[in-house]
Amino acid sequence: MTTITTSTDLGALARLLAWLSPAYPTGAFSYSHGLEMAVEEGAVTDRAGLVAYAEAALAHGAGAVDGGLLALSWRAAAAGDAATLDELAELAAALRGTAELALEATQPGGAFAIATNAAWPHADFRAFTLRHPGRLTHAVAYGAAAGFHGMPLRESCFGWLAAFAANLVSAGVRLVPLGQTDGQIATAALLPALAAATDAALAVTSAEDIGSASPIIDLFSLRHETQYTRLFRS
């Protein structure tokens, strides 16, 4: 019989659990990533449709963009490369298809920076956030913080993408609507897509590798701006 022993850095685990918790005050729960309009127009009507929407976002949309940006930001922070980190922050702010998707990225990013500087202070992370007021996306802020704090890249990236997907599922549970058990089944069904998105993010070696192709999500987001009644901000 073979015995496998693993070692966990409890400090890193504590940060991951805190930063990715729905209780962390980023306000991410108030965004639906265009899903509210997709439900309104009948494009997402059940659990399978919700899973497909999240898979598309992970593989071809914001998940693909932000996963790569997160990994590059982590590497720049870990290497102490402030110039590259600043370039990534500006690029990330520009890579948004609509005004609401931009808000969905930068408002939680700013909130994450405020909470993290207060609760988990790091001088280099604070200096970085002060250089980009109102311009930090959530993925870049989180990736930089994880790099500065010496957290493992793969786990940090997978965790962020899982939180992104979980937020979509939570919105879908309320919008479709679905039961809580259906929400958990959807979350479990997204594991292969999350693993693939994590691998794709870690394979990104430069900003030139980053891109997206999810025009239907952008169109839902555009139409959501004028939706008559709304529960979500995007």
Side-chain angles (χ1 to χ4, degrees):
M1 183 177 69
T2 301
T3 300
I4 300 175
T5 302
T6 61
S7 176
T8 301
D9 182 335
L10 294 182
L13 179 60
R15 286 168 173 78
L16 277 178
L17 292 175
W19 295 355
L20 298 171
S21 168
Y24 211 64
T26 64
F29 68 90
S30 62
Y31 298 92
S32 80
H33 202 69
L35 181 61
E36 186 165 18
M37 180 52 76
V39 172
E40 174 76 12
E41 295 190 352
V44 174
T45 60
D46 55 17
R47 186 180 73 217
L50 174 59
V51 170
Y53 194 94
E55 287 175 339
L58 286 167
H60 307 295
V65 170
D66 283 335
L69 288 167
L70 190 162
L72 292 176
S73 298
W74 185 98
R75 293 183 181 117
D81 187 347
T84 296
L85 200 52
D86 289 343
E87 291 173 2
L88 290 169
E90 291 304 312
L91 175 64
L95 286 178
R96 305 296 146 181
T98 72
E100 290 197 348
L101 294 180
L103 181 64
E104 181 179 343
T106 55
Q107 183 275 316
F112 175 88
I114 291 170
T116 305
N117 280 324
W120 308 88
H122 189 289
D124 291 334
F125 180 69
R126 178 174 178 78
F128 169 57
T129 61
L130 290 176
R131 292 197 300 272
H132 302 278
R135 296 280 291 170
L136 279 180
T137 64
H138 193 189
V140 167
Y142 169 91
F148 283 129
H149 282 267
M151 295 161 62
L153 175 55
R154 177 173 290 276
E155 288 80 357
S156 297
C157 187
F158 178 87
W160 191 90
L161 290 168
F164 170 73
N167 199 62
L168 277 173
V169 170
S170 177
V173 166
R174 285 171 279 175
L175 290 166
V176 173
L178 300 171
Q180 294 297 326
T181 299
D182 268 335
Q184 291 305 309
I185 294 171
T187 297
L190 286 169
L191 180 56
L194 286 166
T198 301
D199 288 340
L202 298 184
V204 171
T205 59
S206 77
E208 294 179 357
D209 298 333
I210 296 174
S212 65
S214 56
I216 189 62
I217 293 178
D218 290 345
L219 288 173
F220 284 136
S221 176
L222 285 169
R223 292 200 285 270
H224 186 256
E225 293 180 10
T226 56
Q227 188 170 341
Y228 182 66
T229 58
R230 295 173 27 154
L231 296 176
F232 292 90
R233 299 180 70 183
S234 74

